[in-house]
Amino acid sequence: VVNGTQLRTYDGKITGNLLEWLDLDEVKEVETVWAEGDRLFLGAKTGMYVFDIHDRADPELLDVFKHRPSCAPVVVQGGYAYVTTRQGTECEYGKNQLMILDVSDPSNVRELKTIPLFNPHGLSVHGNMLIVTEGTQGVKFFNLDNPANPKEVASFKPIVSIGDMAYDVIQHPERNMAIVSISGEWVIYDLEKPHAPREASRLRILE
């Protein structure tokens, strides 16, 4: 659990006993926490932080990949991490981009490539597909047949009114679908055909 500037480890029991904590003085506003095997990745405004969690009670910081202060979630698959950075009032002065990082050696994270984006918000990975929400520009789908070099295969701009934004995206844990939150509704995308995703339905959010 990330709490302010601390990474706290609990035993998972109902009582939730605190086992250990690490001070994260340099970390600013963690946006995502992603576990991949025995590694834990934190996507924060100040960079991406990689921890060894082989000993769950005693996480160890392995490496930090720093970038300009920005809103910067992270997802990981295999030996690759995908980080988007966004600039703006709350996100400071980072670049609008997708960064592909080699994390096969978690003690020596390397940047492989950057892809310019418009204004990335949400980020998710589903099989060999990377999904990025782009604010007023909707949602983009990237194929990961070559995980070091994502290729955009589709984009949708399901915006109804001026000012509508595509904010976040999550993948269904059991089905080939993604759910994108857009101002006032959820848009569901069918991912059965990875090279040809399609909008399947919409659900209006009642206020």
Side-chain angles (χ1 to χ4, degrees), residues 73-77 80-84 98-100 123 130 144 147-148 150:
V74 58
V75 297
V76 181
Q77 184 161 267
Y80 300 90
Y82 303 94
V83 177
T84 56
L98 166 65
M99 296 187 291
I100 297 90
L123 182 65
L130 182 71
L144 297 178

Side-chain angles (χ1 to χ4, degrees), residues 17-179:
N17 296 317
L18 178 64
L19 301 178
E20 184 61 88
W21 69 86
L22 289 174
D23 288 323
L24 307 174
D25 295 332
E26 295 183 1
V27 180
K28 183 178 180 182
E29 295 186 33
V30 173
E31 188 162 346
T32 52
V33 179
W34 186 280
E36 185 81 1
D38 288 332
R39 304 288 181 259
L40 189 71
F41 298 82
L42 304 185
K45 270 192 175 181
T46 45
M48 185 192 72
Y49 296 75
V50 187
F51 291 86
D52 185 330
I53 54 171
H54 177 74
D55 182 353
R56 298 294 198 264
D58 188 21
E60 176 187 358
L61 180 63
L62 297 177
D63 198 9
V64 180
F65 178 82
K66 292 189 176 182
H67 50 66
R68 291 181 180 181
S70 53
C71 295
V74 58
V75 297
V76 181
Q77 184 161 267
Y80 300 90
Y82 303 94
V83 177
T84 56
T85 60
R86 180 175 91 251
Q87 61 182 223
T89 303
E90 296 180 357
C91 301
E92 301 187 40
Y93 52 89
K95 294 182 178 179
N96 292 310
Q97 63 184 1
L98 166 65
M99 296 187 291
I100 297 90
L101 309 178
D102 181 349
V103 294
S104 57
D105 178 358
S107 298
N108 183 30
V109 176
R110 297 185 302 113
E111 182 177 336
L112 301 177
K113 183 177 182 176
T114 62
I115 298 174
L117 294 174
F118 176 76
N119 195 228
H121 283 66
L123 182 65
S124 185
V125 65
H126 180 86
N128 68 336
M129 182 173 291
L130 182 71
I131 310 164
V132 180
T133 53
E134 279 265 65
T136 58
Q137 297 301 300
V139 56
K140 292 180 179 178
F141 295 84
F142 295 83
N143 182 267
L144 297 178
D145 284 344
N146 179 356
N149 188 27
K151 296 294 185 183
E152 184 178 337
V153 295
S155 63
F156 297 89
K157 194 175 179 180
I159 307 301
V160 176
S161 303
I162 295 176
D164 281 357
M165 303 274 287
Y167 290 105
D168 206 356
V169 55
I170 58 172
Q171 73 278 9
H172 194 285
E174 298 176 353
R175 299 182 180 180
N176 290 320
M177 63 174 59
I179 303 170

